[in-house]
């Protein structure tokens, strides 16, 4: 699995697969938030996402939840 920088997830996603679909945050201007200040925003490549999903299927085949990371991944 590929992760860029620190990984954040809500407590209720503790049992979810953490799948990186972006690095950083596309907005990155909220005054109260410093989570991704040092990480330039970038969308993950579809090739990498598919690679991570294949790897996850191998190691956690019964996973039913996926949390898309990182900041503002729309
Ligand atoms: S991660 Fe969320 S809270 Fe932080 S700057 Fe981006 S949009 Fe704002």
């Amino acid at each position: 699995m590929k992760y860029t920088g620190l990984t954040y997830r809500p407590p209720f996603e503790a049992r979810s697969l953490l799948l990186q679909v972006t690095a950083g945050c596309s907005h990155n201007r909220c005054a109260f938030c410093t989570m991704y200040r040092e990480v330039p925003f970038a969308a993950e490549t579809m090739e990498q996402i598919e690679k991570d999903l294949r790897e996850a299927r191998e190691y956690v085949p019964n996973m039913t939840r996926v949390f898309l990371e990182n900041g503002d991944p729309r």
Side-chain angles (χ1 to χ4, degrees):
M1 302 296 292
K2 178 185 175 188
Y3 300 107
T4 303
L6 292 175
T7 294
Y8 301 93
R9 57 119 178 103
F12 50 84
E13 299 289 356
R15 294 174 184 265
S16 303
L17 172 69
L18 305 180
L19 180 66
Q20 178 171 291
V21 296
T22 65
C25 172
S26 61
H27 181 62
N28 216 8
R29 285 191 294 272
C30 296
F32 57 86
C33 176
T34 58
M35 291 196 299
Y36 302 108
R37 287 281 155 84
E38 309 302 323
V39 181
F41 178 76
E44 193 54 78
T45 64
M46 190 55 69
E47 182 180 58
Q48 180 65 47
I49 292 170
E50 289 175 350
K51 181 179 175 194
D52 285 350
L53 287 171
R54 282 192 296 273
E55 185 178 338
R57 183 174 58 189
E58 185 175 331
Y59 289 101
V60 282
N62 298 322
M63 181 64 64
T64 57
R65 287 179 59 95
V66 177
F67 180 66
L68 304 180
E69 299 196 310
N70 279 284
D72 209 13
R74 51 190 154 119

